[in-house]
Amino acid sequence: HVQLVESGGGSVQAGGSLRLSCTASGFTFDDSDVAWYRQGSGNERDLVSSISSDGKPSYVDSVKGRFTISQDNAKNTVYLQMNSLKPEDTAVYYCAADFDVLGRPGYWGQETQVTVS
């Protein structure tokens, strides 16, 4: 049974920081790309950042220079460090892994809320 458990969300003021964590059980991250998505109120779920199985990160333009994705294989955990947060970063955040050839995740985390005021 695979689970992706997220933590680290919360409420911060603009300019603040949060670190999201996504820990897998029943699945090994070091063989998979892992990504963070977010969904704001009334919006679609959008890709924010990803890290490839060989450790290469990527980011959407809106978070470049502010967010950092990293991976700790020993803890089977992927992190999203979010600095200089803006109100428009407010969303529900999801981690995802085990993508198919069409880029669809096989597993999703349960979600964590990030609110920036």
Side-chain angles (χ1 to χ4, degrees):
H1 177 63
V2 174
Q3 282 190 306
L4 304 184
V5 178
E6 301 178 28
S7 61
S11 297
V12 295
Q13 293 187 336
S17 298
L18 287 172
R19 188 178 78 159
L20 305 183
S21 300
C22 176
T23 300
S25 61
F27 182 79
T28 301
F29 275 156
D30 58 1
D31 293 330
S32 172
D33 296 354
V34 183
W36 287 95
Y37 292 76
R38 67 186 178 188
Q39 186 168 16
S41 178
N43 296 331
E44 296 183 350
R45 191 176 299 187
D46 295 321
L47 178 66
V48 176
S49 178
S50 65
I51 186 164
S52 67
S53 57
D54 59 356
K56 182 178 178 181
S58 66
Y59 306 93
V60 296
D61 286 345
S62 60
V63 307
K64 283 181 180 177
R66 301 189 298 121
F67 290 12
T68 303
I69 191 169
S70 62
Q71 185 168 345
D72 185 337
N73 288 338
K75 295 182 178 180
N76 211 23
T77 298
V78 171
Y79 303 97
L80 186 68
Q81 177 67 43
M82 306 185 294
N83 299 328
S84 302
L85 282 162
K86 304 176 180 180
E88 51 263 43
D89 295 317
T90 295
V92 175
Y93 284 71
Y94 302 84
C95 63
D98 194 29
F99 295 83
D100 65 13
V101 294
L102 298 179
R104 297 172 301 191
Y107 304 115
W108 288 96
Q110 85 283 4
E111 77 180 48
T112 188
Q113 176 71 45
V114 171
T115 303
V116 185
S117 60

